Amino acid sequence: MFARSRALRSPLLRSQPLRGGFGSPRDHEPHWIENWNKDHRAGKDSLDWFFRAFNSTGIYEVFLKSSPRFYGFMICGGMVGGYYWSRSWDHMWDYINQGKLYRHNPYVYPPADEDE
């Protein structure tokens, strides 16, 4: 009887716990997803210099990772960016039309008459 009950309980009496399983940290993705994740574009892309510079700034971690901070960054960035975009075109317009605009040609008073 003891041998029989031990034989029935043997699957339950494992010396090591099971490794992996659904939802565990050791659970593997399907093979094609693991191959996809192994294929990194680092060093292969023509804009690799830009991605390295952008990642070194930490802008993503600070501003873009959280939704409220992302929206705040977009709104404030749009306001500041729009202001300076407008100012840059105003300066370009002034440079192209130098001497033709009213503010570039101040009024010169005629000389005063000496007979008065």
Side-chain angles (χ1 to χ4, degrees):
M1 174 110 178
F2 179 72
R4 185 173 152 229
S5 65
R6 185 172 183 166
L8 293 175
R9 289 185 298 148
S10 65
L12 302 175
L13 299 174
R14 292 207 169 105
S15 60
Q16 293 181 346
L18 291 174
R19 303 283 184 212
F22 181 73
S24 73
R26 293 179 178 259
D27 185 24
H28 292 285
E29 301 285 349
H31 188 63
W32 67 273
I33 293 179
E34 287 184 3
N35 289 338
W36 182 304
N37 289 336
K38 281 187 224 174
D39 183 26
H40 296 287
R41 299 283 309 158
K44 300 179 191 175
D45 208 311
S46 63
L47 290 175
D48 189 53
W49 61 272
F50 172 76
F51 298 134
R52 289 183 188 275
F54 180 78
N55 290 338
S56 68
T57 62
I59 290 174
Y60 177 77
E61 285 80 13
V62 175
F63 296 111
L64 305 177
K65 209 171 195 178
S66 151
S67 292
R69 280 188 276 171
F70 172 76
Y71 293 132
F73 180 74
M74 288 294 116
I75 297 299
C76 293
M79 289 170 35
V80 170
Y83 173 77
Y84 283 107
W85 179 258
S86 175
R87 293 292 294 160
S88 65
W89 284 109
D90 289 344
H91 285 288
M92 179 68 80
W93 178 261
D94 285 349
Y95 177 77
I96 291 171
N97 295 303
Q98 189 68 36
K100 299 176 186 172
L101 301 176
Y102 179 77
R103 68 174 171 245
H104 296 158
N105 298 308
Y107 180 73
V108 178
Y109 293 97
D113 291 333
E114 296 193 20
D115 58 333
E116 292 177 2

